[in-house]
């Protein structure tokens, strides 16, 4: 029996050609766009089984990532149902997998094991506390604390994306202020 036949047999129903194309796609980056109720979880679980049947990976060497805990639980349940006693794949949310990866290997990039990962809400809350707690004359900016928090988070995102250390920005700002002050003194 072909792997498609074995997978359809394990699922208990036939696959569409589009689903089969996603399940048996070559081992290279790809994007699959599918709407609600289109069988994404079924396809992901079947892809896990296909990888095992084709000898690409052992069950515990397969990684399935989803956005929500509910979807991760559903995917793990379906994958276990298809794989039987072969072993369990690794299934997690993107966030929890990244946190686990940072905890396990973060020391290589200077991150202490066990250091917490800030979620979006915690990050926003921390930025708000920093803005509210500063002794800088923010009132002179003619903007609201909410706008300052948004600008702070946008700056943090940009620095992280460009891999620019905050200390470098601070140093550049101090140099710029010193240059402006010296120009101000020379023009008097």
């Amino acid at each position: 029996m072909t792997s498609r036949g074995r997978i359809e047999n394990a699922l208990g129903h036939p696959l569409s050609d589009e689903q089969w194309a996603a399940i048996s796609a070559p081992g290279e980056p790809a994007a699959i766009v599918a709407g609600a109720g289109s069988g994404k979880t079924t396809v992901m679980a079947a892809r896990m089984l296909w990888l095992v049947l084709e000898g690409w990976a052992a069950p515990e060497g397969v990684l399935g990532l989803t956005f929500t805990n509910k979807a991760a639980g559903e995917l793990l349940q379906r994958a276990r149902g298809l794989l039987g006693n072969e072993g369990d794949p690794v299934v997690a949310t993107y966030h929890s997998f990244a946190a686990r990866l940072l905890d396990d290997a973060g020391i290589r990039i200077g991150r202490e094991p066990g250091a917490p990962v800030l979620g979006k809400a915690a990050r926003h809350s921390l930025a708000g506390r920093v803005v509210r707690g500063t002794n800088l004359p923010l009132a002179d900016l003619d903007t609201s604390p909410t706008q300052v928090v948004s600008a702070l988070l946008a700056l943090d995102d940009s620095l992280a994306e460009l891999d620019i250390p905050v200390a470098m920005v601070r140093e550049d700002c101090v140099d710029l202020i010193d240059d402006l002050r010296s120009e101000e003194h020379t023009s008097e």
Side-chain angles (χ1 to χ4, degrees):
M1 183 183 293
T2 66
S3 54
R4 180 174 182 163
R6 290 176 69 187
I7 290 171
E8 288 177 336
N9 189 46
L11 290 171
H13 60 79
L15 295 162
S16 70
D17 290 339
E18 291 84 4
Q19 289 175 320
W20 178 246
I23 292 164
S24 61
E28 58 191 40
I32 297 170
V33 180
S38 60
K40 292 181 299 291
T41 304
T42 297
V43 168
M44 286 181 70
R47 170 75 173 185
M48 292 174 167
L49 177 58
W50 182 82
L51 290 168
V52 172
L53 290 175
E54 294 295 315
W56 284 56
E60 57 278 359
V62 177
L63 173 63
L65 297 175
T66 67
F67 286 103
T68 66
N69 289 324
K70 180 182 176 187
E74 206 173 292
L75 177 58
L76 182 59
Q77 181 181 359
R78 290 191 194 185
R80 282 179 173 161
L82 292 176
L83 292 167
N85 295 328
E86 297 291 322
D88 281 342
V90 176
V91 176
T93 63
Y94 288 98
H95 184 81
S96 68
F97 182 74
R100 187 180 331 155
L101 190 61
L102 279 173
D103 203 38
D104 292 347
I107 194 78
R108 295 178 181 177
I109 59 170
R111 185 179 181 280
E112 291 295 321
V117 176
L118 287 181
K120 189 175 181 179
R123 186 172 168 258
H124 198 276
S125 176
L126 178 60
R129 283 190 306 215
V130 168
V131 168
R132 285 189 307 277
T134 187
N135 59 2
L136 296 173
L138 297 180
D140 296 348
L141 295 176
D142 195 33
T143 188
S144 72
T146 301
Q147 290 170 314
V148 175
V149 167
S150 294
L152 175 62
L153 292 172
L155 173 62
D156 182 55
D157 288 340
S158 295
L159 294 177
E161 185 175 323
L162 297 170
D163 199 23
I164 299 173
V166 173
M168 178 189 267
V169 174
R170 186 181 305 117
E171 185 179 310
D172 286 349
C173 288
V174 169
D175 290 346
L176 177 61
I177 291 168
D178 289 345
D179 289 348
L180 291 172
R181 285 183 178 150
S182 69
E183 284 181 22
E184 188 178 279
H185 286 19
T186 57
S187 65
E188 290 177 353

